[in-house]
Amino acid sequence: MNLPLSSFAPLLAAGLMAATAWPAGAQENIDCGYPLNNNERTYCADKALKDAEAAMAAAYVTLHARVVALDDALPDHLKGSPAALEGAQTAWADYADKDCKAYAFPFMGGTRGQELYRNCKIVLTMKRTDDLTATLEDYGD
């Protein structure tokens, strides 16, 4: 499978940020159902974003494999689904980043800006995962 690294750059960056934000032992004691302070809320939001991005990456990989299989069965003049999906995912990542920056921009001077940005990314990433999954279902088996 030939997946562009650019599709996963936002996932890797978020994973690194979340992995380095808290010492390993401190993470075990945080109840994300009831975070007590701003640091815990930040940790839980980072974790939610990381989980959403992992689910989206899994949906993307599954859909990509499916369009590669479909593409192989098509005549040459109809081939191109994998490249189209790769381009769409790259465009989506750029859109999501810019849209969430615009949404959070008025508050970027404080912690609220990062919270709004992260929450926006969580929502858009979950929506993108739903869209990728729905597309896969449209293609059937």
Side-chain angles (χ1 to χ4, degrees):
M1 195 174 340
N2 187 10
L3 301 176
L5 289 177
S6 61
S7 297
F8 296 101
L11 304 176
L12 295 173
L16 277 174
M17 183 177 67
T20 58
W22 284 78
Q27 295 172 1
E28 297 170 3
N29 299 325
I30 296 174
D31 176 9
C32 286
Y34 188 70
L36 298 175
N37 57 49
N38 192 48
N39 288 336
E40 289 185 0
R41 283 188 295 279
T42 298
Y43 166 78
C44 293
D46 285 342
K47 183 179 180 317
L49 180 57
K50 182 180 174 188
D51 292 347
E53 288 175 335
M56 180 183 67
Y60 174 84
V61 167
T62 303
L63 178 58
H64 192 276
R66 181 68 177 133
V67 298
V68 165
L70 288 172
D71 218 46
D72 288 345
L74 294 173
D76 286 343
H77 71 282
L78 295 177
K79 291 186 184 288
S81 292
L85 177 61
E86 292 162 9
Q89 189 66 11
T90 299
W92 177 87
D94 187 47
Y95 158 77
D97 180 58
K98 289 178 179 176
D99 191 49
C100 291
K101 281 181 181 174
Y103 175 70
F105 191 83
F107 303 95
M108 285 310 244
T111 57
R112 180 96 171 115
Q114 287 302 315
E115 179 183 339
L116 290 171
Y117 176 83
R118 191 174 28 253
N119 291 343
C120 175
K121 287 288 295 247
I122 291 167
V123 169
L124 290 182
T125 302
M126 292 170 70
K127 173 70 170 113
R128 178 66 177 161
T129 302
D130 290 346
D131 292 345
L132 293 169
T133 302
T135 301
L136 182 62
E137 291 171 3
D138 286 346
Y139 291 155
D141 286 328

